[in-house]
Amino acid sequence: MFSFNIDHISRDICDYFYRNSTKCATKDDLKWVFEHWSSLIGNAKPSEQIKTLTENDINAINKLIKTVSTGKQRHYKLALVNIVTYLGDVLHWQLPEVKALPWEDQDLIWFGKINHCADDAFQMLDAYSQSKAALFNQRCQPSAEFVALAIAMEVAPFSIHYLTSIINDPNCVIIEDTETYLKVDHLGGLNKQKGEDDDVFFTRYHLPLFVYRLLCDYQKEPIKDLTTQRLHKRLNQLIENEPFYLTAKPVWQWQHLFQAVWHYRDNVVPTLLKDISYPERHVAFVKVKTTLKDTRQQLKSIYEYDWRAPLSGSSTSQSQENDWPHKRLLSNKHVDKQLDCRFSEFEQHNILPAMLFRYTQELIEHGGVNKSVLADNTIYAYTTLESKLIDHPLSYANAIDEEALQLWAHRVYDSLENDRSRLYMLYFFRFMRHQAITDGIDLTEFDAPTSCSSVDAYRLSLEELHDITDALLTHQDGHPLQRLFCAVSGILAYFAMLRRGEILRLRIQDIHCLPNHQQCFSIYTRKTEEGTNKENKARTVHTVIPEELAKLVRIVLANKAMCDVSEPLIGFTDESYHSRQLNYLLPLTKAIKAIAGHHVRFHHLRHSGVHLFMQQALHMAYGLAPQLTTTSAALQRLLTEEVINARFDYWLEGHHFSQCNDNLLFDEVCKQIGHENYATTRWSYLHSIDWLYPFYRLGYGALQPREYSHAELKYILNLTPSSSDLSRQLALISPKYRDKSLAQKQNSTISLTENQLRRHLLGSKRSSLNAIPNNIAWSTNYDEVAFDFIKRWQGSFSTAPKNFVFYLFLEMRKAKQLNWPLLSQIWHQSGRHLHTNINKAQMTALSNLPAPTISTNETGQALTLTLACNVKNSRHFETVFRQPQWRWLRPSFTLVINRKTDTNVQLSRLKQYFVKSQEKYMVKKQSEGDSHLTITLTPTFTPSKGKTQKNALRVNNIEFVLKHIQNYIKHVQQTK
């Protein structure tokens, strides 16, 4: 049973409310409530403890508190409110609705405190503007209190505790290309304890150039040992004097004052105001950098099966399993670095020995999260897990099955007896999450109830999605139809925000393309025979997919026009769930990791789609043009008013957003994602906060033009107040300024974007700044500037396909007679995904066989071959038609013997070299002509497991197939 330290969590709660300037009960009062609230400590298994509080749970402890007869009752009630608020806001527990709680809405209390600061907020704004102007002219060393004030007024309304942390951090400023960011580490109990091998949570804010310059100047001579108390005192001294003339504020009131400034100055809505005020509400990520060499190397094997063939003897296999190969690394890690690569190849029946070997190898070569070199005893402690895993093998099939993998992880975790073993196993699970075959493992289900929920922060750009799609479609390995299914799976996971299982369970009837808007799709996720989604509730997603990618989705839908609508969209008719996981989602996962980095997972496609959806919702709400928020050409197309209106048309119903209840916007976004509340979306999907700046600070985004005074520009460009170089530099920055007359330059303010200043100041050479011209429509003409993926895919086809199934697919499409059920029947009986192309030996054999003809017998139409009954021809026939790709053609034999020929010799050859067990043959005699053998190849098909497609096996369809077998063989014979 999981147990937690009441002292620790009580301390964390006190720290949290203290940092965020909110009244909190004492540690002793918090401990009293915890100790008397037995419902918080359940008897469930460690992985089954859920973060949920019910109305009954709260009523039970509240009833107990009411029995206290002294004034302590008030203190315990406050402690209960603090605990429940902390569990909901920080630890992401599921709580009853606010109206069901036995106390006043805490958000209303918070917003009331902001309203009380309204007068001081307006006075603060005027005085702050005067102080900025004085700084531009006087250029004295900025004080810590003014830097803190500037950060709180220009970046976000932080508490004094966070302002102190930022100012004391010499590495808080991040410069990436021409972007400037403020890195804010999360404070308090949310972060790891010392010594734990885990990442530190941080949030990244957009850093305006003025504050960037101010911080740079301050950090030249920073105040040492600046504490929260000292900064609080300095801020009070600052506002008590000219030009502020405000009364001193208690430490808790300062953040409310800053929040009042942002609310009244920028009209920031309460939800977003809380988001920007408290860094703990978001987690940023570091963009993974990959090299072109590594990417190309990894892309080579995305369609390869990465398991080792089973060993011949069962006893050998058992001994190999017991001899865990990672032990060799532990005993001789410095010498034996070049171990046989077979140790890292997975066994189909149990991938764990190879997975543990890879884990050990990575720890030895790259160290841990915090240290590049780990001590031997640390590596040994982390990796001696075989005794805990030996009773819980994990097959390859279960590893790629998200649900089976999660059940396995729960079984292993629940079998462990202490917290340390569970911690080390979680490290191993975390490593497994970054491997392609096991990246579906969900670690959030193993979070302790009193720990902050883990978050896997990352998202993919649209440009990366294009690269992934292109790599999947143009790869030389993999069947062309497999490549198409892989690419479409990625596209739908991204734009429809779908999980792995939702992609695989998506049926033809669940996706609808709007006839009058063929880039708009309505997608339904619901329970099917193969399972249900995570929320166990049906939902509908309305999305818009760029035309070059939407074409691929429409091709898959068109290919399956003859199929039963209950058939899965991805894969062949009657293809198993496991096969679809292995052959469509696993290659996609490998391509994601090759292009974006090994820490990026399939699930990040959903993260990325959610982020795009939220951007579109905010663009609709704020009415911003796409050029004002992003320089990405691909993203700008999806943020236009036309695209956004098309995506939200189901909700707007032809109305403008201003006519709708804007309070429901976030609820509607969550509804399509499948979340109960916005907190889940914010924490788990909307990573960092820098992208939100153009919305909550309207007019001051990096791409939003605004007017600058000469004094401010001189300060930003690091020029002295009396410098005469400003005009020259502005001429380099802005062509419009360069073309003005001297009088205009002297008397007018300068309209610029921060992006223009950054490019000049930080020396950008980015090509991505060249956005798409505004006159290019979102639904047409984009193929001129983007990949035409259809042509890219078709360009990878061989002019003479050596795979009959794909040859038949192309001929069906050409003749506009695409019969997917029939094609699937042939695919199922001809090797499926292991169907190899025709090889040289088979081409040679075909060139020595006669051309087949179409005949009709008692069972229907068939192919016939007439040849001499000899050993040479039997070998040619064996080389071609006894291979898996032709097993759907059942042979029968008719031996015609001249009366003058020895019957026994011919019959013996027939039985020895041609006929197999249970195959039919007959012997006929003729008076004239040479003896010969007629081989009849009859197609054999079985009814579909689902609803039988009426037209799948019509006579003319069989004739079409036989005709193209003729053409295919003739073409091969001519090629040879």
Side-chain angles (χ1 to χ4, degrees), residues 488-555:
V488 170
S489 296
I491 292 166
L492 292 176
Y494 193 105
F495 290 101
M497 307 171 291
L498 301 180
R499 303 180 180 94
R500 282 172 173 268
E502 293 168 346
I503 286 288
L504 293 176
R505 291 189 295 270
L506 192 66
R507 298 169 298 180
I508 298 170
Q509 66 186 13
D510 295 331
I511 177 168
H512 298 276
C513 177
L514 273 62
N516 59 337
H517 232 317
Q518 292 203 325
Q519 289 176 249
C520 297
F521 294 84
S522 295
I523 297 169
Y524 306 92
T525 65
R526 63 188 83 182
K527 184 178 181 179
T528 70
E529 294 178 354
E530 294 179 321
T532 186
N533 55 28
K534 191 173 181 180
E535 300 84 22
N536 207 22
K537 293 180 182 178
R539 73 176 190 275
T540 305
V541 178
H542 303 274
T543 190
V544 176
I545 302 176
E547 177 61 15
E548 71 277 6
L549 299 174
K551 283 180 181 178
L552 298 171
V553 181
R554 294 200 299 266
I555 283 180

Side-chain angles (χ1 to χ4, degrees), residues 625-864:
Q627 293 79 11
L628 298 179
T629 62
T630 180
T631 59
S632 167
L635 182 56
Q636 284 182 6
R637 300 165 55 217
L638 295 174
L639 298 178
T640 62
E641 184 178 1
E642 187 178 0
V643 172
I644 293 171
N645 286 342
R647 181 159 195 179
F648 284 93
D649 182 63
Y650 77 96
W651 189 56
L652 295 174
E653 296 180 336
H655 298 94
H656 190 269
F657 178 74
S658 61
Q659 298 174 287
C660 300
N661 184 351
D662 55 7
N663 289 320
L664 299 177
L665 180 61
F666 283 0
D667 291 336
E668 187 57 37
V669 169
C670 294
K671 182 180 177 182
Q672 289 211 27
I673 298 168
H675 292 161
E676 289 290 335
N677 52 63
Y678 172 67
T680 304
T681 306
R682 167 183 53 75
W683 174 253
S684 297
Y685 290 84
L686 299 178
H687 310 306
S688 203
I689 204 78
D690 54 280
W691 61 274
L692 196 57
Y693 194 82
F695 300 99
Y696 71 81
R697 187 78 166 102
L698 279 173
Y700 287 80
L703 296 169
Q704 298 169 351
R706 67 181 181 91
E707 293 186 344
Y708 289 85
S709 67
H710 288 75
E712 184 176 5
L713 285 172
K714 287 179 180 180
Y715 180 76
I716 290 173
L717 296 174
N718 206 21
L719 301 175
T720 63
S722 59
S723 174
S724 59
D725 193 40
L726 178 62
S727 182
R728 181 189 66 83
Q729 293 203 33
L730 287 176
L732 297 173
I733 296 171
S734 171
K736 291 183 179 179
Y737 177 86
R738 182 186 58 212
D739 296 336
K740 288 182 178 181
S741 66
L742 180 60
Q744 289 175 323
K745 291 178 181 179
Q746 291 175 341
N747 298 322
S748 64
T749 55
I750 313 300
S751 180
L752 295 169
T753 67
E754 276 209 355
N755 215 34
Q756 288 176 294
L757 291 171
R758 281 194 175 90
R759 285 153 55 191
H760 175 75
L761 190 63
L762 303 175
S764 171
K765 296 181 180 178
R766 278 192 310 187
S767 60
S768 62
L769 292 173
N770 300 319
I772 294 180
N774 293 337
N775 60 342
I776 294 184
W778 69 282
S779 58
T780 58
N781 299 329
Y782 189 70
D783 287 348
E784 298 173 8
V785 290
F787 284 125
D788 187 334
F789 289 107
I790 298 295
K791 289 183 179 178
R792 299 277 294 170
W793 178 55
Q794 294 173 340
S796 69
F797 301 168
S798 170
T799 53
K802 296 180 181 179
N803 180 306
F804 176 71
V805 173
F806 185 59
Y807 171 84
L808 182 61
F809 167 75
L810 293 179
E811 293 300 321
M812 283 180 169
R813 284 194 67 197
K814 191 184 300 181
K816 297 184 179 180
Q817 297 182 32
L818 183 51
N819 188 328
W820 191 264
L822 179 58
L823 187 74
S824 296
Q825 286 266 3
I826 297 171
W827 174 83
H828 272 286
Q829 298 184 59
S830 58
R832 300 179 185 175
H833 289 286
L834 296 177
H835 183 158
T836 56
N837 292 335
I838 189 169
N839 56 38
K840 290 183 179 180
Q842 292 170 327
M843 293 176 71
T844 301
L846 272 177
S847 67
N848 287 288
L849 290 173
T853 59
I854 299 177
S855 61
T856 303
N857 55 31
E858 64 277 5
T859 60
Q861 293 181 314
L863 286 179
T864 58

Side-chain angles (χ1 to χ4, degrees), residues 183-394:
K183 179 175 177 287
V184 183
D185 289 332
H186 292 186
L187 299 177
L190 291 181
N191 264 325
K192 65 186 182 85
Q193 299 298 318
K194 187 176 181 181
E196 284 188 8
D197 186 18
D198 207 349
D199 296 319
V200 176
F201 287 163
F202 71 96
T203 304
R204 186 176 53 239
Y205 285 80
H206 170 76
L207 185 61
L209 281 177
F210 163 65
V211 186
Y212 162 73
R213 176 60 63 197
L214 195 65
L215 271 169
C216 290
D217 289 345
Y218 172 78
Q219 288 177 350
K220 294 175 183 177
E221 298 179 19
I223 298 176
K224 294 182 179 180
D225 301 322
L226 180 67
T227 64
T228 301
Q229 291 75 15
R230 291 180 65 185
L231 181 59
H232 176 219
K233 182 179 179 180
R234 283 171 166 266
L235 281 169
N236 276 335
Q237 290 173 347
L238 176 68
I239 64 170
E240 286 175 332
N241 298 312
E242 186 184 358
F244 294 91
Y245 297 120
L246 293 169
T247 58
K249 310 291 181 189
V251 67
W252 59 266
Q253 196 175 31
W254 271 98
Q255 187 170 25
H256 296 143
L257 175 59
F258 294 144
Q259 289 168 336
V261 169
W262 285 84
H263 176 66
Y264 293 111
R265 180 190 64 189
D266 300 294
N267 297 313
V268 182
V269 296
T271 299
L272 295 183
L273 186 59
K274 292 191 87 171
D275 281 358
I276 67 176
S277 300
Y278 308 117
E280 296 102 329
R281 293 170 71 87
H282 289 266
V283 177
F285 62 92
V286 178
K287 195 72 174 176
V288 177
K289 294 182 180 179
T290 58
T291 65
L292 185 60
K293 180 181 177 181
D294 288 343
T295 296
R296 287 175 174 171
Q297 184 63 33
Q298 292 178 50
L299 285 176
K300 288 179 181 178
S301 59
I302 59 175
Y303 287 107
E304 293 178 4
Y305 294 140
D306 55 356
W307 61 64
R308 186 167 64 219
L311 299 174
S312 54
S314 59
S315 60
T316 308
S317 178
Q318 184 65 35
S319 64
Q320 177 70 23
E321 183 175 336
N322 291 336
D323 181 22
W324 293 70
H326 77 285
K327 293 179 180 179
R328 301 169 185 252
L329 286 172
L330 293 174
S331 62
N332 200 6
K333 68 170 187 173
H334 298 295
V335 177
D336 205 4
K337 287 186 178 180
Q338 301 298 326
L339 281 178
D340 191 335
C341 64
R342 68 188 179 89
F343 288 134
S344 64
E345 293 178 352
F346 299 117
E347 294 277 4
Q348 291 190 51
H349 68 285
N350 188 11
I351 69 164
L352 294 177
M355 186 67 73
L356 196 51
F357 177 87
R358 294 184 181 196
Y359 178 50
T360 306
Q361 197 172 42
E362 183 164 302
L363 289 176
I364 291 171
E365 293 181 4
H366 303 291
V369 174
N370 301 314
K371 296 180 180 179
S372 58
V373 178
L374 293 178
D376 290 355
N377 60 345
T378 301
I379 296 175
Y380 183 83
Y382 285 178
T383 59
T384 50
L385 305 174
E386 64 274 9
S387 63
K388 303 171 181 64
L389 297 172
I390 196 162
D391 294 330
H392 303 280
L394 178 63

